[in-house]
Amino acid sequence: MVSTFRRYFTRHMNALRIAPWGMPAVPPQGPVIIYSNHPAWWDAAVYILVADRFFPAYESYAPIDAAMLKQYGIFGRIGAFGVDLESRRGAADFLKVGAEILSARNRTLWITAQGRFGDVRERPLGLKPGVARLVERAPDCTILPLAVEYGFWLERGAEAFIAFGEPMHGQDLLNLPRPARLERLENELTATLDHLSADVQSRDPARFRVVLEGRAGVGGFYDGWRRMAAALRGRTFDPSHEGRPS
C-alpha cells in the first residue's frame, strides 16, 4: 500500500519536503504518539509516506472519522480505525482503542488532533482533549508534534511541507493538570507550525530536504512542445518551470 500511495502522490503532487530543523527524533523504542494539525485530505497520504520513511520499524495506526472510513474503506486495511467524532461513546472508544495500540512498544499512533479540517493559519488550533487524555493510558510514550502545510510554488503540482517539533515524554506531561497538558501540546504544535510557515513563505527550496519528488511540468501538449524545442536546440529537456527554454 505504501507503493500505491507513493505513486498516487508523485502523480498529483510536486514534492514532499521536510525542514532540516524538523527532522523527527525517533526514539529507539515506543510507543509513540504523533499529533498534527489537519489542513487537507492529503494528510492521510502524507502520514503513510512519512511513517514509511522515518518510522519503518514501527507499526502505524490512526483514528479516522467513522463516516469517512465507510467512504474510504481502504484505510481500514492499513491501520485506520473508525471514531464517532460527535458522541461521548466515540471519545471513549478512541481512548480504549488508542490504549490497546499503545500497549506495544513497536507502535505509533498518528492523530489529526484538531478532529476536523482547519486552515493552517487558524489560531488557536483548538486541539481535541482526547490527545491529552491519551497520555494517561500510555505514560511511557513519546509524543511528537507534526506540522503539515501545503502550498504552490513554481510547478503545476502542490508542495507538501512537514516538520516535527521537540519530543515530549508522557510521564512529564502527566505531572500537568489536563487543561495545562492540552495547552502545552497545543503550544508546541503551534510553535512548530509557525516556524514551518516562515520557511514555506520564503519559497526557498534550500530550506528543505526532499522526501519524495513528483512529476514536474505542465504535461500534455505544452510539455511535448517544450521537449521538442529543447531537442532542436541540442539541450536536455527539463520539465520543471525553471527549466523551460527561453
Side-chain angles (χ1 to χ4, degrees):
M1 293 308 300
V2 170
S3 62
T4 298
F5 278 93
R6 185 183 293 117
R7 288 194 300 271
Y8 188 82
F9 183 94
T10 55
R11 187 180 305 123
H12 297 283
M13 301 283 280
N14 187 57
L16 171 59
R17 305 177 187 272
I18 187 170
W21 55 263
M23 297 290 289
V26 181
Q29 62 181 11
V32 179
I33 297 173
I34 299 171
Y35 71 102
S36 78
N37 58 315
H38 194 13
W41 178 92
W42 279 101
D43 298 343
V46 168
Y47 275 10
I48 291 167
L49 297 172
V50 173
D52 178 67
R53 172 63 178 81
F54 296 107
F55 297 84
Y58 286 85
E59 294 178 3
S60 291
Y61 299 83
I64 185 174
D65 178 46
M68 189 70 72
L69 186 58
K70 290 181 180 179
Q71 185 176 356
Y72 298 103
I74 190 173
F75 288 116
R77 297 167 55 190
I78 54 175
F81 59 95
V83 175
D84 182 357
L85 300 176
E86 304 301 327
S87 70
R88 290 186 177 181
R89 177 62 182 272
D93 288 345
F94 164 72
L95 293 174
K96 179 182 178 181
V97 177
E100 291 175 358
I101 290 169
L102 296 171
S103 65
R105 293 185 175 275
N106 66 329
R107 294 174 179 169
T108 59
L109 183 59
W110 301 71
I111 304 171
T112 50
Q114 289 175 293
R116 55 175 175 78
F117 290 117
D119 191 277
V120 71
R121 294 159 292 192
E122 180 180 341
R123 300 290 185 272
L125 297 175
L127 303 187
K128 295 291 186 182
V131 66
R133 296 190 60 183
L134 192 57
V135 175
E136 299 167 12
R137 309 290 185 96
D140 295 331
C141 69
T142 298
I143 304 98
L144 287 169
L146 171 62
V148 182
E149 185 169 341
Y150 305 93
F152 286 90
W153 279 0
L154 296 177
E155 303 301 331
R156 172 180 62 86
E159 316 279 339
F161 307 94
I162 61 169
F164 287 87
E166 293 296 322
M168 294 166 279
H169 300 287
Q171 195 61 56
D172 294 336
L173 290 175
L174 280 180
N175 295 328
L176 300 172
R178 283 178 180 172
R181 191 187 310 154
L182 183 61
E183 182 180 10
R184 167 76 185 282
L185 291 169
E186 178 146 341
N187 288 343
E188 291 291 335
L189 180 54
T190 300
T192 309
L193 273 166
D194 289 344
H195 193 170
L196 177 63
S197 290
D199 286 346
V200 173
Q201 290 175 42
S202 75
R203 304 173 72 87
D204 181 4
R207 294 196 182 192
F208 296 91
R209 296 177 185 172
V210 175
V211 178
L212 186 62
E213 200 159 23
R215 299 175 180 175
V218 177
F221 175 81
Y222 181 64
D223 270 356
W225 175 83
R226 292 173 59 205
R227 186 183 301 275
M228 182 177 66
L232 290 173
R233 291 181 173 88
R235 300 176 181 174
T236 300
F237 175 63
D238 180 354
S240 68
H241 180 84
E242 292 181 327
R244 68 175 55 183
S246 57

